[in-house]
Amino acid sequence: MKLGTTWIRQSVVAVAVLVMMTVILGVVYPAVVWGVSRIDRSSAEGSVVTDSAGCRVGSALIGIDPQAERGRPDGYLHARLLGAADDPMAPGDPAASAASNQGPSSVTLAGWIESRRAIIAEREDVRPDQVPVDAVTGSGSSLDPHISPAYADIQVPRLARVHGMPPELVREVIDSHTEGRQLGVLGEPRVNVLEVNLALGLTAPDCG
């Protein structure tokens, strides 16, 4: 009789603990996490950036080349590249954060770099040796939203020509979206590609 009573008591405790943990971990915890995420909805939902019409054009955390992504006229700032088997100028895939897996000794990567240097030099009307390193190499995630001020600078004449703006004004736009070193010492100055393109009039295609 005592053994049966002990078994019943333990079973009741086990069921009570199961119900309690289910409520805490299955209801309370998810609700708290969801509530915290509402404090800064933008970050929780992908740091979405919208154009002047309120249509989504990208994310503050992801840098995608708008020309390659949407087939737009060549009037916007180009971002860094990832590369693909059939296209060394391919941008990163926003659905997958990953590098190209091509190492420093890769013949494929060396070929991409030479192709990119020639294409970018012709596009920007500069000498191949004036094309910055970040213009011909991808970032570790392939979704870096920034480029170097040097890469942005060689694109100024093209942007000024396409938009009918003085180069000085284009540089002012770029400078206003250039971030300095973190804490004054970490990293390098960098230009936010999407912010510059929005300032130059980038809009979402037919968001309806």
Side-chain angles (χ1 to χ4, degrees):
M1 186 68 177
K2 184 177 180 180
L3 180 62
T5 302
T6 301
W7 180 85
I8 293 174
R9 188 187 312 115
Q10 291 177 341
S11 298
V12 170
V13 171
V15 171
V17 171
L18 175 62
V19 172
M20 180 182 67
M21 296 305 294
T22 299
V23 171
I24 293 174
L25 299 179
V27 179
V28 177
Y29 177 73
V32 170
V33 171
W34 179 86
V36 171
S37 74
R38 298 303 90 187
I39 296 174
D40 183 2
R41 295 185 59 180
S42 175
S43 296
E45 296 176 2
S47 299
V48 174
V49 176
T50 58
D51 60 19
S52 56
C55 299
R56 296 183 179 185
V57 293
S59 166
L61 305 176
I62 297 177
I64 298 298
D65 185 341
Q67 296 79 239
E69 182 72 4
R70 301 186 176 92
R72 286 187 166 276
D74 203 25
Y76 296 96
L77 206 59
H78 284 267
R80 299 181 71 178
L81 302 161
L82 173 63
D86 58 346
D87 182 11
M89 298 295 286
D93 180 0
S97 174
S100 66
N101 289 329
Q102 301 296 329
S105 61
S106 168
V107 175
T108 299
L109 179 60
W112 285 355
I113 289 175
E114 289 307 311
S115 296
R116 291 168 179 169
R117 183 176 288 116
I119 292 170
I120 294 171
E122 181 179 4
R123 184 187 73 204
E124 308 301 345
D125 194 24
V126 297
R127 298 192 313 272
D129 62 351
Q130 292 178 293
V131 177
V133 172
D134 65 306
V136 296
T137 57
S139 66
S141 69
S142 81
L143 303 175
D144 191 344
H146 302 98
I147 59 175
S148 68
Y151 187 22
D153 189 62
I154 68 169
Q155 301 185 59
V156 167
R158 171 175 54 81
L159 298 179
R161 183 177 65 255
V162 173
H163 290 279
M165 300 167 61
E168 296 75 15
L169 183 56
V170 175
R171 286 192 173 90
E172 286 182 13
V173 172
I174 291 174
D175 289 344
S176 66
H177 298 287
T178 298
E179 304 168 21
R181 292 181 172 87
Q182 293 174 301
L183 303 178
V185 294
L186 300 177
E188 295 293 333
R190 54 206 180 276
V191 178
N192 190 298
V193 173
L194 182 57
E195 289 181 0
V196 170
N197 288 339
L198 285 171
L200 292 174
L202 177 69
T203 57
D206 304 323
C207 72

